[in-house]
Amino acid sequence: GAGGGTPRLGVNCLGAYMRIAVFGAGGIGGYLGGRLAQSGEEVAVVARGDHLEAIRQHGLRVDSINGDFVFHPSIATNEPAEIGPVDVVILGVKAWHVSEAAQAIRPMIGKGTCVFPVQNGVEAHSQLAAVLGEAAVLVGIGGLVSFIEGPGHIRHTAAEPYVKFGEIDGQTSLRTARLLEVFLRAGVRAEIPTSIHAALWQKMMFICAGSGVGAVTRVPIGEWRSLPETWYMACQILRESDSVARALGVNMLGHEVEAAIAQVEGMQPKATTSMQRDIMEGRPSELEVQNGAVVRLGRQVGVPTPVNAFINYSLLPQELRARGELSTHKPG
């Protein structure tokens, strides 16, 4: 039942409906949860503050280029224990909240539960596995352009929503096959890539180029893409990221740089990225898990990342100021 801790249908029957919890009902988590609920899945939501209050009173309103709808979760709460064990937890928090969220979602983890992270970056699954164990975690990727417009209100403005996921060890599994079916039934583009880790890194290089160059130039993509100098920077970011992934032993398939270039070329000229907008508006951003992570991981494996480092270091003072962590003392 909606309030109990037992899934409605057997975990191992393909085609069965699932009990799903969305932890962090923001732009991506809220959208995916809503589409899954529309197609008959039982979807609960963990949120907080005014957003939670609005969802409890009126449901979650989603204005989407694919059609507007209102999503009424089976449970809306700030207490994961109220939901209990589920088949899948879609983790939709910002990347810097993942470790904290891993502790908070424990009451929703049952014997066969899988956690599906949709954060940017390449480290969310490792952070989750460190707390919950590898067996409970998938490697996940999610994409669409959407954001919280106001309490209980999400706006999806661009990009066809998609999800990609797979087991950490790269094996095929019944639960990923079942989850694939559930997303496809909900009309969400979904895929289990040949190499989920290569797919994760391809998205990483794409967002590092778009976010990094966008944040440092502070102009929409069409403007920096048209200049040979800034286009060169973007391509270098992709190549550096690819080199770091290979040095880390990621099973890259060889086409990731070209695919990421095509993604950058395919973006709308007026587009900006969420990291770029956060930095330009003085909010904390995902700098540390994007360009910062390429630099940090590159250092671990001895791969130089000069352009990512330039971007990371240029943006760092403002990032620390936004987090209230900027000291005015000289370095020791």
Side-chain angles (χ1 to χ4, degrees):
T6 48
R8 275 194 299 196
L9 290 166
V11 169
N12 293 332
C13 48
L14 281 169
Y17 286 93
M18 287 183 132
R19 192 157 194 268
I20 296 164
V22 174
F23 188 95
I28 187 162
Y31 179 89
L32 293 174
R35 290 295 184 204
L36 291 165
Q38 270 191 317
S39 70
E41 311 303 331
E42 183 187 322
V43 184
V45 160
V46 180
R48 58 185 181 193
D50 295 347
H51 194 48
L52 173 61
E53 234 13 77
I55 293 170
R56 279 178 167 159
Q57 286 177 20
H58 313 291
L60 181 63
R61 177 177 153 203
V62 180
D63 293 344
S64 166
I65 53 173
N66 290 347
D68 304 346
F69 63 96
V70 178
F71 155 43
H72 295 278
S74 60
I75 305 172
T77 179
N78 56 5
E79 287 292 339
E82 270 185 48
I83 296 169
V86 293
D87 295 318
V88 181
V89 178
I90 297 173
L91 188 66
V93 298
K94 285 281 193 184
W96 61 86
H97 291 311
V98 170
S99 294
E100 182 191 331
Q103 299 289 353
I105 62 183
R106 279 181 189 276
M108 301 190 293
I109 308 293
K111 197 166 167 237
T113 306
C114 56
V115 183
F116 172 28
V118 291
Q119 285 67 32
N120 287 326
V122 292
E123 297 164 297
H125 64 278
S126 310
Q127 293 170 323
L128 290 166
V131 176
L132 303 168
E134 210 166 273
V137 181
L138 299 178
V139 181
I141 306 167
L144 76 162
V145 180
S146 61
F147 50 89
I148 297 178
E149 174 93 342
H153 183 195
I154 284 168
R155 189 177 292 281
H156 163 219
T157 55
E160 185 55 39
Y162 73 87
V163 291
K164 297 180 184 184
F165 46 85
E167 297 290 351
I168 290 179
D169 64 5
Q171 299 299 305
T172 53
S173 70
L174 194 58
R175 66 185 186 178
T176 52
R178 196 170 158 231
L179 187 58
L180 181 70
E181 194 171 300
V182 162
F183 274 116
L184 294 173
R185 185 164 61 208
V188 176
R189 255 179 38 204
E191 178 191 344
I192 301 170
T194 319
S195 167
I196 183 62
H197 293 280
L200 189 67
W201 270 93
Q202 184 189 309
K203 184 183 181 198
M204 174 72 156
M205 31 175 112
F206 162 63
I207 61 170
C208 284
S211 298
V213 181
V216 91
T217 58
R218 298 181 166 240
V219 296
I221 190 163
E223 294 180 36
W224 65 252
R225 199 170 50 190
S226 67
L227 293 172
E229 296 86 349
T230 36
W231 180 247
Y232 170 80
M233 281 173 69
C235 293
Q236 286 302 107
I237 289 170
L238 300 178
R239 293 189 187 102
E240 290 174 11
S241 307
D242 184 61
S243 300
V244 171
R246 288 168 187 278
L248 284 165
V250 176
N251 175 26
M252 301 299 269
L253 306 177
H255 61 257
E256 286 80 12
V257 172
E258 289 69 27
I261 286 174
Q263 276 182 289
V264 178
E265 287 174 337
M267 284 179 75
Q268 295 294 326
K270 288 190 165 58
T272 55
T273 70
S274 60
M275 182 180 113
Q276 174 180 358
R277 291 190 297 273
D278 285 341
I279 284 173
M280 288 173 71
E281 288 160 30
R283 293 192 298 262
S285 81
E286 291 190 338
L287 178 64
E288 166 58 21
V289 301
Q290 295 190 24
N291 306 87
V294 175
V295 176
R296 179 164 36 82
L297 295 169
R299 204 176 288 135
Q300 278 174 28
V301 289
V303 172
T305 54
V307 181
N308 279 284
F310 164 74
I311 282 175
N312 186 40
Y313 302 156
S314 300
L315 298 172
L316 201 53
Q318 180 169 331
E319 179 65 28
L320 293 175
R321 182 207 274 173
R323 293 177 179 277
E325 294 167 16
L326 189 60
S327 157
T328 52
H329 299 298
K330 286 182 181 171

